[in-house]
Amino acid sequence: MKALLALAVVGGMAASASAAVVIWDETVDGNLSNDPTAPTFLNFVVDDNIVRGRTLGSSTPPSDGYDVFSFTIGAGQTLQSIVLSAYTPATGGTSGFNFSTGAAAGNGGTVLFGPGVGGSFVGSDFLVTQAVGPLGADTYYMEVREFGGPLADWELTFTVTPAPSSVAMLGLGGLVAARRRR
């Protein structure tokens, strides 16, 4: 039992000590795709994954007012949250966020949340506010659309964790290893 508690404490400390990983920053990495049939694929890791973008103008692709990307949550992983961590202008702007599976929403995907989820949600976890998460293994698509407003800078933080069964298996492995040492 002590080994399990120690493992839980060490695991908790490791999780809190991790830093977020910037997966894509349009000011550094270039524009995300503006084509819903060919989204930019991003490689997420088990951690906080930051994606930063910029939209301006019309929301009709192809335009600077449309960003679309995809990512895969692997077996043994869970998408715990999608937080709109920053949005400028501070007024909340007119950007909209569509989140889907199967394909981008603009390409016929199954929408998990969308139109009406926008810049005024800064600090909110979309998976909680839209009651759709946490989510398991699948390929997901995010579209950010600017509805004719001013230049908008946005930042999303996607938290990927080991699935609960994976964490339990790690705990059991630690217990077995501790028991063998005795």
Side-chain angles (χ1 to χ4, degrees), residues 34-175:
N34 61 4
D35 181 352
T37 64
T40 302
F41 184 80
L42 304 180
N43 290 308
F44 283 8
V45 297
V46 173
D47 205 335
D48 289 336
N49 299 268
I50 295 174
V51 180
R52 295 181 182 132
R54 171 175 279 188
T55 55
L56 173 66
S58 167
S59 65
T60 305
S63 78
D64 288 339
Y66 188 87
D67 290 327
V68 59
F69 58 92
S70 65
F71 58 93
T72 297
I73 300 299
Q77 298 177 341
T78 301
L79 179 60
Q80 284 297 130
S81 64
I82 303 172
V83 174
L84 181 58
S85 28
Y87 189 89
T88 304
T91 60
T94 58
S95 293
F97 298 86
N98 292 331
F99 187 64
S100 61
T101 62
N107 193 34
T110 301
V111 176
L112 298 175
F113 66 77
V117 180
S120 60
F121 282 70
V122 172
S124 298
D125 177 355
F126 291 148
L127 296 185
V128 171
T129 63
Q130 304 304 300
V132 296
L135 299 170
D138 204 344
T139 298
Y140 297 97
Y141 300 80
M142 178 64 78
E143 295 173 315
V144 183
R145 294 175 176 238
E146 182 57 44
F147 297 103
L151 176 70
D153 292 309
W154 52 267
E155 179 181 285
L156 293 166
T157 302
F158 298 79
T159 302
V160 179
T161 62
S165 60
S166 299
V167 173
M169 291 305 291
L170 285 173
L172 287 175
L175 286 174

